[in-house]
Amino acid sequence: PSALPEKNMIFKGLVVNKEDMNKLMLTPQIYYPLPGGSALITFEEASVAQRIIEMREHVVDLSCGEELEELDWCRMRVQAMPVEIMVPSALEMRLTQSSRSILVSDLPSLDISEDDLLDKLELFFSKTKNGGSEVESREFLGDSGLVVLTFTQDGVAERLIEKGNTQMTIRGGEYKIKISPCMNGDITDLQFQPSRCPRTVLISGIPDVLSEESMRTTLEIHFQKASRGGGEVDALAYIPAGRTGVAVFKEDRG
């Protein structure tokens, strides 16, 4: 890619072994564009996908489509190709501590909205008696339950971080919340390498002769037949001609 996208990342957990301190595990989530007249088929067995690719051209019987019930001689020729995607192979990051922001955690689970909780946090940390100052911004980090508070003045975040935690009253209850440094990460180097999906096949050259549902069923029936070199289909995505789509590849934990 010519430019790297911005991505908010949350690092949680404890370091148990020193040798793990400089390691970062990446879980790729790859967006793969699908042109019209194509399908992605993921088989349960990698050997089936390889066999389909080696056969290259496939003749698919269309008689199972309800629109073509009387045309049992109708067939289409499609091509099978491997799916290669670019996955991260190396990542270098530069971490810097924000001088005006803190990370607030260990927040209680209460029956109040996120906005109400942010209001209470801003009110609490804007008071000098609580070690705070005027709050410039506040935000939840996704669904992590963590909040980033940014102050208008330098030195406030540092004092709060030194405390480590504070007692806060919310709806009549006393809660101990944790205060941590807010780290900003900049990607300084990101390298990719091509990787072939072992269980997924790209089928191209599909004509627009059936409805989307009927074509999906037709393809699944054909490529599940052992007599045609196929096997059990785990997932199938079909994009009709004239349209485009995006498939999302996640880590295969199977």
Side-chain angles (χ1 to χ4, degrees):
S2 58
L4 297 175
E6 292 187 2
K7 176 66 176 176
N8 293 327
M9 304 179 71
I10 303 171
F11 296 86
K12 301 188 293 185
L14 301 174
V15 176
V16 179
N17 301 315
K18 287 186 176 181
E19 56 268 23
D20 294 334
M21 291 183 64
N22 294 321
K23 294 180 181 179
L24 175 64
M25 299 300 296
L26 293 178
T27 303
Q29 182 168 293
I30 309 298
Y31 291 82
Y32 186 86
L34 276 177
S38 67
L40 279 180
I41 303 178
T42 299
F43 296 94
E44 291 187 358
E45 299 292 337
S47 59
V48 176
Q50 183 60 35
R51 187 164 61 244
I52 293 295
I53 292 170
E54 290 175 352
M55 293 172 66
R56 182 65 182 182
E57 187 172 81
H58 298 262
V59 178
V60 180
D61 187 357
L62 296 177
S63 61
C64 64
E66 58 183 16
E67 296 94 335
L68 301 172
E69 287 179 350
E70 298 178 359
L71 303 178
D72 58 355
W73 45 268
C74 193
R75 295 179 175 85
M76 66 178 182
R77 293 181 181 271
V78 297
Q79 291 74 44
M81 295 174 286
V83 175
E84 289 195 347
I85 56 179
M86 301 298 291
V87 297
S89 60
L91 170 68
E92 290 184 5
M93 295 185 66
R94 180 180 63 248
L95 294 177
T96 56
Q97 182 174 330
S98 174
S99 61
R100 292 188 177 185
S101 298
I102 61 172
L103 191 68
V104 181
S105 58
D106 291 351
L107 295 170
S109 297
L110 300 174
D111 186 22
I112 60 175
S113 67
E114 288 188 354
D115 287 338
D116 285 344
L117 182 55
L118 288 174
D119 288 342
K120 294 182 183 301
L121 288 171
E122 179 176 353
L123 182 61
F124 178 85
F125 282 100
S126 63
K127 294 180 179 180
T128 54
K129 68 177 183 179
N130 297 326
S133 181
E134 181 181 348
V135 175
E136 181 178 275
S137 64
R138 75 277 173 91
E139 66 171 326
F140 267 98
L141 291 180
D143 57 357
S144 66
L146 307 177
V147 172
V148 174
L149 295 178
T150 302
F151 299 94
T152 58
Q153 300 177 9
D154 290 326
V156 179
E158 184 178 356
R159 292 196 304 269
L160 290 170
I161 291 168
E162 287 180 356
K163 292 177 60 178
N165 55 70
T166 187
Q167 291 288 130
M168 181 177 173
T169 303
I170 305 177
R171 286 193 170 180
E174 286 288 330
Y175 301 96
K176 183 178 180 180
I177 61 176
K178 185 178 179 181
I179 305 171
S180 306
C182 182
M183 307 299 293
N184 295 320
D186 296 317
I187 296 177
T188 57
D189 184 35
L190 180 58
Q191 299 176 17
F192 293 85
Q193 66 179 15
S195 176
R196 177 175 291 191
C197 298
R199 299 191 296 120
T200 302
V201 176
L202 175 64
I203 305 296
S204 62
I206 304 173
D208 189 13
V209 293
L210 295 177
S211 68
E212 187 173 343
E213 183 178 354
S214 295
M215 182 60 77
R216 189 182 294 110
T217 301
T218 297
L219 291 170
E220 187 165 357
I221 289 175
H222 175 87
F223 285 101
Q224 280 197 152
K225 292 180 179 179
S227 60
R228 303 294 177 88
E232 289 294 325
V233 173
D234 188 29
L236 188 150
Y238 163 62
I239 302 297
R243 293 166 51 184
T244 58
V246 177
V248 181
F249 286 86
K250 298 182 180 181
E251 183 182 23
D252 186 356
R253 298 181 180 274

